[in-house]
Amino acid sequence: MRITVTGVDEAAVRFRCAAGAATGRWAGPALPVPGEHDVELDVAEEVVFARAEPGRDRVEDVPGGSGAVLVAGRVEQAGTGAGAVVVLRVGGGLLLLEACGAGPSAGDWVRCTAAELRLYPTGV
């Protein structure tokens, strides 16, 4: 996913992308400089999905300063069973998430809240 880093505070990185703006934890060997970067987004924990507004993918900080991030997008692929992996299209990129409980189906528009969003530079 293509992002624009707008601020860096230790490992906390503020960024903009096609789906909005949020804060994440940089997972590269060195902190980024402000500007454009290609990254892979990652969420370490299982998430609970809820229905989302169709046609509106987004990434945004949850109010309150907890560091949590709201992610919404369209399900590209979905596994079945407990801990199923869900591939979510967000802001022109893909995000792999592990479902806690019942997962969504391909084509569904969903949202979830992640305690932390990690940004892995891809070097592309």
Side-chain angles (χ1 to χ4, degrees):
M1 170 184 285
R2 190 79 165 159
I3 66 167
T4 301
V5 172
T6 59
V8 179
D9 181 17
E10 296 192 19
V13 173
R14 289 177 302 285
F15 68 94
R16 287 179 291 128
C17 66
T23 304
R25 180 157 307 278
W26 192 257
L31 290 176
V33 296
E36 291 192 356
H37 297 269
D38 283 300
V39 298
E40 180 178 313
L41 301 180
D42 181 55
V43 172
E45 77 271 9
E46 290 183 335
V47 296
V48 176
F49 291 99
R51 296 184 76 81
E53 181 181 339
R56 184 166 182 235
D57 55 337
R58 59 190 169 135
V59 176
E60 60 191 38
D61 290 326
V62 172
S66 67
V69 176
L70 173 75
V71 178
R74 184 176 180 273
V75 176
E76 292 286 318
Q77 294 179 337
T80 58
V85 174
V86 174
V87 179
L88 193 64
R89 180 163 299 279
V90 179
L94 297 174
L95 174 59
L96 276 65
L97 299 162
E98 191 172 340
C100 179
S105 299
D108 289 349
W109 283 87
V110 297
R111 62 181 165 80
C112 64
T113 300
E116 179 181 81
L117 189 62
R118 293 186 190 151
L119 308 169
Y120 288 88
T122 61
V124 175

